[in-house]
Amino acid sequence: MHHRAKPEQIERVVETIGDMGYRAKPMPGHQRTAIGLVGNDGRVDSARLEGLPGVREIIKVSKPYKQVSREWREESTLVRLGNGTVLGGPEVVLMAGPCSVEGRGQILDIAAQVRDLGASVLRGGAFKPRTSPYSFQGLEERGLELLAEARERTGLAIVTEAVDAESVALVAEYADMIQIGTRNMQNYPLLKSAGRAGKPVLLKRGMSATITELLLAAEYLLSEGNADVALCERGVRGFDPATRNVFDLTAIPVVKSLTHLPIVADPSHATGVRDKVTPMARAAVAAGADGLIVEVHPDPPQALSDGAQSLYPEQFRELVAQCGPIARAIGRSLAPAPIPAAVSHAGA
Ligand code: PEP
Ligand code: MN
């Protein structure tokens, strides 16, 4: 719409789209309001809309995904978490914690440490999607309770994984952000359920998924009404066993040009090797990642999952110290750790 379009002109376009049998989605922006047409089967007669007063132009979204595309929405989406952390703005958000919640002492200890070192979000799996059925499967609801206690004590927001559609509601009760893992990126019932959960989602790229498939998976979340989605590059399958995965650094600028959604980098799962995590974290910040999610454990050799890629707290300190100047070099900064007293625990 023209930047001076009147509310009644916007309303008329919305009504006309409805009359044509589609759903209209007005998106007010800084400059002007855009109105998305949802449910497009490819045969829209745009002439009916073109002539309406206040309409500036009809933009045809040329991608298979719509609502996640930059054509649909030019401004970057800001994903706000319960403790005030914002993903997608000028600040680079640090998410850190163990692969799995293993017990009360472990999670409270590492939460306090990563917070003091600059993290604003605590990661930790309570439901673990393990490749082997004999591996540690997570503490489940008890793990969620411990994460909530860690949030209470530190002011950190919580990101934790939901592994199936049935447990999304339970995870959403405790978490500030629901993680969808690489093995589940194309679990459509799970995506639909997370799209209706009322909490932000961290959607990890499938280990063999193209960027188009990642964006189509995100489209499921948005089409269910959840606009608070951040994507995550966590490495893809390669041919070389030197590292666990191949960190697709290029995905960061590519994704940022195709979508308005923020993108977080996971150098832990991308490399699988502790001493490769910090170099790739530096690279991810340089490439424009909106956040880092890093596995840090108080005692990595004792970790019940992903110990080989988990940083010692001292190494996380070093990572933070090195990433700060890189963020500043590209006009950004690392998001400061939250101040517990100022934290709201809405949704906890
Ligand atoms: C995790 O974050 O611990 C995890 C299982 O990640 P991914 O789904 O990327 O393997
Ligand atoms: Mn892990």
Side-chain angles (χ1 to χ4, degrees):
M1 302 297 290
H2 281 292
H3 69 281
R4 276 201 216 93
K6 299 189 179 69
E8 23 330 337
Q9 295 175 330
I10 292 171
E11 194 42 45
R12 174 127 182 246
V13 172
V14 168
E15 277 169 16
T16 307
I17 290 174
D19 291 346
M20 291 163 74
Y22 304 111
R23 201 150 54 80
K25 201 169 163 181
M27 292 168 286
H30 283 315
Q31 300 289 340
R32 60 201 172 92
T33 291
I35 304 172
L37 185 150
V38 192
N40 174 358
D41 52 10
R43 291 187 303 275
V44 178
D45 176 12
S46 55
R48 252 184 97 177
L49 299 166
E50 238 147 16
L52 293 177
V55 172
R56 196 185 82 170
E57 62 177 324
I58 307 284
I59 301 171
K60 296 206 167 101
V61 178
S62 57
K63 301 284 192 291
Y65 41 84
K66 309 252 177 255
Q67 298 191 48
V68 305
S69 74
R70 279 243 188 237
E71 292 170 334
W72 182 274
R73 183 190 150 97
E74 210 176 310
E75 272 166 60
S76 293
T77 285
L78 302 180
V79 175
R80 292 169 204 281
L81 305 184
N83 67 349
T85 298
V86 179
L87 272 160
E91 292 180 341
V92 178
V93 172
L94 297 176
M95 308 177 165
C99 180
S100 305
V101 181
E102 298 169 0
R104 186 166 183 272
Q106 176 241 20
I107 196 68
L108 297 184
D109 174 11
I110 200 63
Q113 292 203 58
V114 298
R115 198 208 91 89
D116 290 348
L117 296 172
S120 27
V121 182
L122 176 66
R123 62 145 293 141
F127 293 91
K128 293 304 299 178
R130 303 306 300 281
T131 301
S132 164
Y134 307 117
S135 301
F136 175 62
Q137 302 285 310
L139 298 183
E140 303 187 340
E141 187 164 8
R142 175 71 187 135
L144 297 175
E145 288 167 6
L146 294 173
L147 286 167
E149 187 179 350
R151 166 177 50 209
E152 214 47 53
R153 287 170 175 244
T154 58
L156 293 168
I158 302 296
V159 59
T160 192
E161 181 162 356
V163 291
D164 50 39
E166 295 69 38
S167 60
V168 164
L170 179 67
V171 172
E173 254 180 59
Y174 293 90
D176 297 284
M177 187 171 218
I178 303 165
Q179 178 174 322
I180 295 184
T182 193
R183 294 161 188 79
N184 267 321
M185 189 203 82
Q186 287 176 312
N187 179 337
Y188 300 114
L190 172 59
L191 292 172
K192 287 182 187 172
S193 178
R196 292 191 290 262
K199 282 281 169 79
V201 173
L202 182 68
L203 177 64
K204 298 186 89 171
R205 180 180 181 181
M207 59 184 88
S208 300
T210 63
I211 289 170
T212 298
E213 287 164 341
L214 171 64
L215 295 175
L216 281 166
E219 186 82 11
Y220 268 83
L221 297 164
L222 271 77
S223 72
E224 291 292 339
N226 194 343
D228 294 320
V229 176
L231 306 170
C232 179
E233 166 57 41
R234 50 77 70 204
V236 291
R237 277 276 158 94
F239 56 83
D240 191 338
T243 54
R244 184 176 178 183
N245 289 292
V246 176
F247 187 25
D248 184 3
L249 200 54
T250 350
I252 297 166
V254 170
V255 160
K256 286 191 84 73
S257 64
L258 294 174
T259 178
H260 50 84
L261 300 175
I263 179 146
V264 172
D266 176 346
S268 304
H269 293 86
T271 62
V273 189
R274 186 178 302 126
D275 68 351
K276 304 296 178 281
V277 172
T278 298
M280 297 323 286
R282 294 193 303 251
V285 173
D290 297 301
L292 296 173
I293 183 162
V294 181
E295 288 185 342
V296 187
H297 194 283
D299 186 9
Q302 299 302 318
L304 297 181
S305 59
D306 287 350
Q309 68 195 32
S310 298
L311 298 186
Y312 286 88
E314 271 312 305
Q315 291 179 301
F316 183 63
R317 180 197 301 280
E318 191 63 19
L319 180 154
V320 176
Q322 294 180 0
C323 288
I326 296 173
R328 286 194 291 283
I330 55 169
R332 304 182 84 172
S333 58
L334 300 183
I339 304 157
V343 160
S344 114
H345 292 294

